[in-house]
Amino acid sequence: MIEERHNFSLKAMNTFGMDVSCGVFIEYDNEEDLLNIDFNALVKPVFHIGGGSNVLFSGDFPGTVLHSAIKFLRTLPENAEPEGDTVLVAAGAGVKMDSICGWAAENGLWGIENLSLIPGEIGAAAVQNIGAYGSEISQAIHSVRCYDTVECRFLTLRPEDCGYGYRDSFFKHCGGRYIITEVVLALTKSFSPQLGYGNVRQTAEAMLAPGEVLTPLKIREAVISIRNGKLPDPADVGSAGSFFKNPVIDGAAFSELKAEHGDFPHYDLPDGNVKIPAGWLVEQCGWKGRTIGNAGVYPKQALVLTNATGKASPEEIIALKDLIIKSVSDRFGISLVPEVEIV
Ligand code: EPU
């Protein structure tokens, strides 16, 4: 079923809580609906939203906002692609990512437990290649079904065809041509915890009773407790999670920075480049916990910009973002790039 609204408020549809509206809002709840939408006739520009947890509206959106309410979750017959302990799970694009993480953990399936509590819906998660604590969703994707709005047909892509990178995919660079309708995850019953990032191992093991072994559910609980300690719940404080990407610099630039600033947290990449935590850069520039007007930098994680009072305007968040980018550039010579999509 297609539902169409005009001058629709998006306030409840973006986790930053920006009080903005769109010209037309169209929600659909099955694939066939897409065949009935004339994409050439839509009021432009067109933006497809998911859970609105990685987007900052810069003002009222004059065009059409599309949203998928395709919400099924089912395991595919075990013989769909038999690979030992693999279980294929298909989810409609509109299913909340964390409800899938919870379901998988409850059913003892490994693969997405480290992605627990990330807000948003799985369709957008597969566009954005969400990641946390050493896992990225692309590692668990078996295939993605999408609708080509130009040729009006559905196609199925394997992850190697999706151009996945750090918080990146081909879908982010196709001008909205392809709309994800379904994501199939390949989860596994085989014991395969991902414990290499930060304090995941320590937190999870501390939660075990004597003799108890790690399960996807235990890791999920550990990740939830780590996230709750650092990141704001969008229900309490508006934000879009990490506002900036962690920048990557080359080895020579890293050596220069180290000579000037002493050692600091970083991740060596296989290609010799170095990823620098943007949160550290922002904190070093004195932004952690500061507010300017109604916009703030979260006191427990400097990478997160917030709608600190609940009344921030898009202009206030954008002005704060610009000030932070300038100060990090002045001090470190590194240009931070937003991870959040500014629309
Ligand atoms: N750090 C600081 N100050 C801060 C925040 C971080 O110095 O205020 C330093 C710390 O030294 C810390 C390091 O940065 O050891 C890394 O911090 P953290 O482990 O919290 O991760 P992050 O790099 O800040 C990334 C993702 C998060 C994801 C976490 C955990 C990006 C842009 N962000 O943050 O993703 O949850 O790792 O895997 O890659 C998101 O995308 O919205 C998001 C929250």
Side-chain angles (χ1 to χ4, degrees):
M1 198 180 79
I2 298 176
E3 250 195 83
E4 183 170 324
R5 311 266 188 88
H6 292 256
N7 297 321
F8 182 76
S9 170
L10 297 169
K11 189 166 183 196
M13 300 215 54
N14 71 102
T15 57
F16 248 125
M18 293 294 111
D19 194 3
V20 296
S21 61
C22 62
V24 186
F25 179 76
I26 296 177
E27 188 171 73
Y28 56 93
D29 65 6
N30 64 73
E31 283 191 344
E32 289 66 43
D33 288 341
L34 288 171
L35 294 166
N36 293 321
I37 295 173
D38 180 355
F39 281 84
N40 290 321
L42 292 179
V43 181
K44 308 284 186 305
V46 176
F47 177 66
H48 199 294
I49 199 168
S53 53
N54 199 52
V55 59
L56 173 63
F57 285 101
S58 57
D60 287 333
F61 188 78
T64 306
V65 172
L66 291 158
H67 181 242
S68 167
I70 304 179
K71 286 186 185 168
F72 63 84
L73 179 66
R74 60 172 173 259
T75 48
L76 298 180
E78 298 252 351
N79 63 359
E81 192 156 326
E83 273 178 42
D85 286 337
T86 303
V87 175
L88 298 183
V89 179
V95 180
K96 289 215 173 349
M97 187 64 210
D98 190 53
S99 70
I100 305 172
C101 294
W103 175 88
E106 295 285 348
N107 286 280
L109 295 173
W110 297 92
I112 51 172
E113 60 285 350
N114 289 28
L115 306 180
S116 290
L117 215 61
I118 296 183
E121 295 161 6
I122 191 168
V127 170
Q128 167 73 359
N129 191 17
I130 58 162
Y133 307 106
S135 291
E136 286 182 344
I137 194 171
S138 54
Q139 297 159 342
I141 287 180
H142 169 274
S143 55
V144 169
R145 187 167 152 84
C146 56
Y147 181 65
D148 178 348
T149 60
V150 173
E151 295 198 359
C152 303
R153 67 187 178 106
F154 291 91
L155 57 158
T156 298
L157 300 178
R158 296 300 292 244
E160 53 272 25
D161 302 322
C162 295
Y164 280 124
Y166 167 55
R167 299 291 195 278
D168 199 21
S169 76
F170 145 82
F171 299 104
K172 288 181 85 164
H173 307 283
C174 65
R177 173 170 174 174
Y178 299 93
I179 294 174
I180 294 181
T181 56
E182 175 182 333
V183 179
V184 179
L185 298 172
L187 305 178
T188 178
K189 296 176 201 163
S190 298
F191 182 79
S192 46
Q194 300 276 323
L195 301 168
Y197 188 100
N199 56 346
V200 175
R201 175 188 290 276
Q202 197 190 353
T203 312
E205 287 181 350
M207 287 175 154
L208 295 179
E212 221 184 348
V213 291
L214 286 174
T215 60
L217 200 52
K218 281 285 167 211
I219 307 275
R220 172 172 167 77
E221 284 166 11
V223 166
I224 288 176
S225 108
I226 295 170
R227 287 186 74 95
N228 279 338
K230 276 194 187 175
L231 298 167
D233 179 346
D236 302 329
V237 184
S239 88
S242 298
F243 197 93
F244 301 103
K245 289 192 187 188
N246 286 330
V248 173
I249 60 174
D250 63 35
F254 174 66
S255 301
E256 272 177 40
L257 272 185
K258 216 165 114 178
E260 197 180 333
H261 300 277
D263 204 7
F264 57 87
H266 62 275
Y267 317 99
D268 293 315
L269 300 177
D271 59 5
N273 289 332
V274 183
K275 195 186 259 189
I276 314 290
W280 182 84
L281 297 169
V282 177
E283 181 174 348
Q284 293 302 305
C285 292
W287 288 105
K288 197 170 185 172
R290 274 183 71 184
T291 52
I292 294 193
N294 296 294
V297 178
Y298 196 57
K300 296 181 196 167
Q301 164 56 288
L303 197 45
V304 177
L305 304 196
T306 65
N307 179 352
T309 61
K311 292 183 190 137
S313 64
E315 291 77 15
E316 285 179 296
I317 306 278
I318 288 168
L320 178 59
K321 168 209 72 146
D322 289 339
L323 285 172
I324 292 173
I325 289 176
K326 182 166 185 323
S327 68
V328 168
S329 168
D330 289 349
R331 172 126 187 240
F332 294 100
I334 293 176
S335 302
L336 289 184
V337 174
E339 194 229 336
V340 167
E341 192 173 356
I342 301 175
V343 179

